Amino acid sequence: MSGTTTTTTSGGRSNLQIARGARLLPIREIAHSMGIKSELLEPYGEGVAKIKLEEALEELEERPKGRYILVSAITPTPLGEGKTTTTVGLGQAFSHIGKRATIAIRQASMGPAFGIKGGAAGGGYSQVVPMERLNLHLTGDGHAVTEAHNMLSAIIDNHLHQGNELGIELHSISWRRVVDVNDRALRNIIIGLGSKADGIPRQTGFDITAASEVMAILALSSSLKDLRERLGRIVVGTNGVGEPVSAEDLKAAGAMAVILKEAIKPNLMQTLEGTPALVHAGPFGNIATGNSSVVADLIGIRSGDYLITEAGFGADMGAERFFNIKCRVSGLRPDAAVVVATVRALKVHSGRYEVAAGKPLPEELLKENPDDVYAGAENLKKQLENIKLHGIPAVVAINAFPTDHPSEHRAIEEVAKQMGAKAAVCNHFAEGGKGAILLAEALEKTIEEEKERSSSSSSSSSFRFLYPLEASLKQKIETIAKEVYGAGKVEYEQEALRQLERYEGWGFRKLAVCIAKTHLSISSDPALKGAPLGWVLPVREVRLSAGAGFIYPICGQMRTMPGLSASPAAQSIDIDDDGQIVGLF
């Protein structure tokens, strides 16, 4: 779900070629470097293992916590600005300055992998390996989420067929089906056609697996027991008197938990330089948290000097949800954040250029022009403000491209300095960990300076949530809209107001808020670049994810099932006579 900076290095080697050339350390050796005993591992072939969750949490409980770093970004272009690559490069860089780091990233969705977005393993010489395993199935967690989700779908339709004892209103059913491919033809379908024995005809559809509430639940659960309880709280629709019907009411949650019993265990892998990598869960970045799992962080935070985790899209999206949703659940408090910036993205935020995935960059954009960088710098300034809103210091990682010019990097450094943030030019894509040493050093210094400033004896930062859970759902929405997005006001359609009132009446007032909007603008309009102010956030409906623990207002058109492009990556991927995958990134 997070794109890489490019698919080949300056030496012409593809990501896949670099990954295949890696000499993997035994996975037990990676675990040992984290202080995790080999008996706590469940190997899944070469280079991958699951970690026994409850046993590992108990084993690590008395260990000191490392520093907790979030990697976020400015508002990206459709190409992605390299957050995952930066996360990996930074993790590797710490070993170059004598520190032990672990990284935690999301699992890949096969929809984007076979579509146009690319993989989620990083890129160049800052990758998680085995790369093919990460992007294709891994340990089957995505399949388990798909099956658990569709088990509930099947139980709903069977309940209707068997007489509908709970009185579920057909038109109230919000639970769809999921599959882990991009397939626009499944967005809206009719099921139950055929004879009476084939079920009750009704309209429904498919979402991609990453958009499933089950995936969000997997990411936010703190234990197997918590997972089971959250699954039971899923609301699938209402009965004839307007009361919510849950997965627990349908007696489906137990079977769903059984399907997910192994999936809740984090996956352990490694980077090209042997840095431990926890790869677990992949919730959708537009309608869910866009963060890897809580349990991976609970393990990783006690496995070294630093835990580095990544949040999807810009700081207005994944970082805000990391702070206000994930950190509430985990109880962990971040020490610093990285805001990834690229010359090309800031030039796009000037409003003078347009870029599209799968198409060459405009020639004018590649010419030296620091004025264009300054013109788009309001986006960087606002995203730095969004980090500081939560009391966290930020460092700007300038993800360098071969087409950049030194004057353009200096422009970004000057903007960061104006905002009171350090900045570091990073070449981790081409150079691996040594290309991000300046970033690691800037973070280390920033955290120490913050520790000196902080009056708290229990934390090295003055972290704070943006809103209290006791506030009304409308108050939470408006706080995010105005303080994070820069909106002037929020306008609700009547149905959205009715939904908010209904959810509070059902007892869900204290849920967090996860606003579903475009990731291509801080606003809800993807065409608005930079950092627009005073605009109106339109809320057309509000959906409930009671099991995950949040509501998500829909602002604009949200696609929960992507479609394939005119030339999807799937058409270039094959297997050769030696059984090797070809054409994958």
Side-chain angles (χ1 to χ4, degrees):
M1 304 294 282
S2 181
T4 57
T5 53
T6 184
T7 57
T8 59
T9 65
S10 56
R13 300 181 70 200
S14 71
N15 292 333
L16 183 56
Q17 289 171 328
I18 293 169
R20 282 192 181 146
R23 297 182 64 181
L24 272 65
L25 296 172
I27 200 67
R28 285 180 170 80
E29 190 172 324
I30 298 297
H32 178 74
S33 72
M34 302 169 67
I36 295 175
K37 298 175 181 177
S38 59
E39 52 263 37
L40 297 181
L41 301 181
E42 297 175 351
Y44 272 71
E46 184 181 5
V48 182
K50 277 196 168 290
I51 300 174
K52 296 178 181 178
L53 180 60
E54 306 297 341
E55 296 93 328
L57 289 173
E58 183 177 351
E59 179 79 19
L60 298 170
E61 188 176 10
E62 301 303 319
R63 301 252 184 96
K65 293 178 183 176
R67 301 297 192 190
Y68 195 26
I69 298 173
L70 171 71
V71 177
S72 186
I74 62 174
T75 302
T77 68
L79 309 176
E81 305 317 310
K83 284 192 313 300
T84 307
T85 309
T86 302
T87 301
V88 177
L90 176 59
Q92 295 179 153
F94 274 113
S95 68
H96 290 263
I97 61 172
K99 302 294 183 180
R100 294 187 303 126
T102 298
I103 68 167
I105 62 173
R106 288 174 290 166
Q107 288 182 241
S109 170
M110 287 200 298
F114 285 101
I116 197 169
K117 184 75 164 75
Y125 291 92
S126 292
Q127 292 189 60
V128 175
V129 286
M131 186 262 264
E132 296 135 297
R133 293 283 304 280
L134 191 156
N135 285 297
L136 305 173
H137 297 296
L138 194 53
T139 56
D141 295 348
H143 173 72
V145 169
T146 300
E147 294 307 298
H149 181 113
N150 291 340
M151 171 67 77
L152 178 54
S153 302
I155 287 176
I156 292 169
D157 284 298
N158 183 60
H159 184 86
L160 299 176
H161 177 71
Q162 300 295 345
N164 196 10
E165 181 182 351
L166 294 172
I168 302 172
E169 290 286 334
L170 263 65
H171 294 294
S172 76
I173 297 172
S174 56
W175 196 256
R176 291 153 57 91
R177 284 166 167 79
V178 296
V179 65
D180 198 17
V181 296
N182 292 2
D183 192 347
R184 62 171 55 83
L186 294 178
R187 288 172 182 162
N188 297 285
I189 63 172
I190 302 293
I191 61 173
L193 299 178
S195 69
K196 185 177 180 180
D198 295 323
I200 306 295
R202 65 183 183 89
Q203 183 174 345
T204 182
F206 276 79
D207 299 323
I208 196 165
T209 298
S212 168
E213 184 182 348
V214 177
M215 183 66 86
I217 288 172
L218 180 70
L220 290 168
S221 295
S222 57
S223 66
L224 183 60
K225 181 176 182 290
D226 185 32
L227 174 74
R228 170 62 181 81
E229 291 172 352
R230 285 173 178 270
L231 292 170
R233 294 198 292 268
I234 291 171
V235 172
V236 302
T238 59
N239 61 20
V241 294
E243 298 169 333
V245 176
S246 69
E248 199 67 65
D249 295 331
L250 287 159
K251 300 185 172 81
M256 296 170 73
V258 168
I259 294 171
L260 294 166
K261 181 176 179 291
E262 300 302 313
I264 195 173
K265 301 173 182 177
N267 305 298
L268 178 62
M269 300 180 73
Q270 63 189 283
T271 73
L272 288 169
E273 297 181 13
T275 301
L278 295 165
V279 184
H280 197 216
F284 211 62
N286 290 96
I287 65 166
T289 51
N291 285 261
S292 58
S293 76
V294 164
V295 291
D297 285 6
L298 291 175
I299 290 172
I301 197 70
R302 299 182 187 275
S303 65
D305 300 310
Y306 292 90
L307 172 63
I308 305 155
T309 190
E310 173 211 355
F313 302 131
D316 57 308
M317 300 282 283
E320 184 274 312
R321 296 160 188 181
F322 170 84
F323 294 137
N324 294 297
I325 300 178
K326 186 179 181 181
C327 288
R328 287 186 198 270
V329 173
S330 70
L332 301 177
R333 300 294 179 259
D335 293 282
V338 174
V339 176
V340 178
T342 61
V343 167
R344 74 179 183 197
L346 289 175
K347 285 184 174 181
V348 169
H349 280 294
S350 72
R352 298 167 186 171
Y353 306 97
E354 291 186 9
V355 300
K359 295 183 179 180
L361 293 173
E363 289 187 13
E364 285 297 313
L365 182 143
L366 301 177
K367 293 180 179 179
E368 182 173 8
N369 194 335
D371 288 341
D372 281 348
V373 175
Y374 286 119
E378 291 305 311
N379 188 271
L380 173 58
K381 292 178 182 178
K382 180 59 179 139
Q383 298 293 26
L384 286 169
E385 287 176 0
N386 288 337
I387 298 295
K388 293 178 181 179
L389 274 175
H390 298 88
I392 300 300
V395 174
V396 176
I398 304 170
N399 189 16
F401 286 70
T403 52
D404 294 350
H405 301 274
S407 63
E408 295 168 336
H409 291 164
R410 288 194 295 271
I412 299 175
E413 290 171 334
E414 183 177 329
V415 172
K417 186 177 181 180
Q418 290 172 3
M419 297 298 295
K422 293 179 174 62
V425 177
C426 303
N427 292 287
H428 45 273
F429 182 88
E431 301 176 10
K434 69 179 182 180
I437 288 175
L438 292 177
L439 177 61
E441 291 174 338
L443 276 162
E444 193 170 44
K445 187 173 182 180
T446 295
I447 291 171
E448 288 307 311
E449 290 173 350
E450 182 67 18
K451 183 179 179 180
E452 292 175 6
R453 284 195 296 266
S454 176
S455 59
S456 170
S457 60
S458 61
S459 173
S460 64
S461 71
S462 54
F463 173 73
R464 57 183 174 269
F465 297 121
L466 190 63
Y467 53 79
L469 290 181
E470 291 73 23
S472 71
L473 296 177
K474 280 187 67 177
Q475 287 172 331
K476 294 169 194 171
I477 293 169
E478 289 166 15
T479 296
I480 297 170
K482 293 176 181 179
E483 296 195 27
V484 177
Y485 303 159
K489 65 177 181 177
V490 180
E491 288 186 353
Y492 303 87
E493 293 191 12
Q494 284 302 310
E495 180 58 23
L497 291 172
R498 285 191 289 267
Q499 288 163 334
L500 288 170
E501 183 179 359
R502 186 183 308 137
Y503 299 152
E504 293 200 353
W506 288 347
F508 294 125
R509 178 188 175 100
K510 290 188 177 181
L511 293 188
V513 167
C514 184
I515 295 179
K517 72 173 188 70
T518 180
H519 61 282
L520 298 175
S521 173
I522 291 181
S523 76
S524 59
D525 181 353
L528 292 180
K529 302 304 179 184
L533 295 173
W535 50 276
V536 177
L537 179 73
V539 178
R540 60 181 177 85
E541 65 173 302
V542 183
R543 297 180 186 176
L544 174 66
S545 289
F550 56 77
I551 61 157
Y552 59 103
I554 307 293
C555 305
Q557 295 298 316
M558 289 293 106
R559 290 291 190 195
T560 52
M561 169 54 82
L564 292 172
S565 66
S567 299
Q571 293 179 334
S572 302
I573 296 172
D574 208 334
I575 195 161
D576 65 18
D577 292 340
D578 297 321
Q580 295 285 336
I581 296 170
V582 294
L584 185 67
F585 322 128

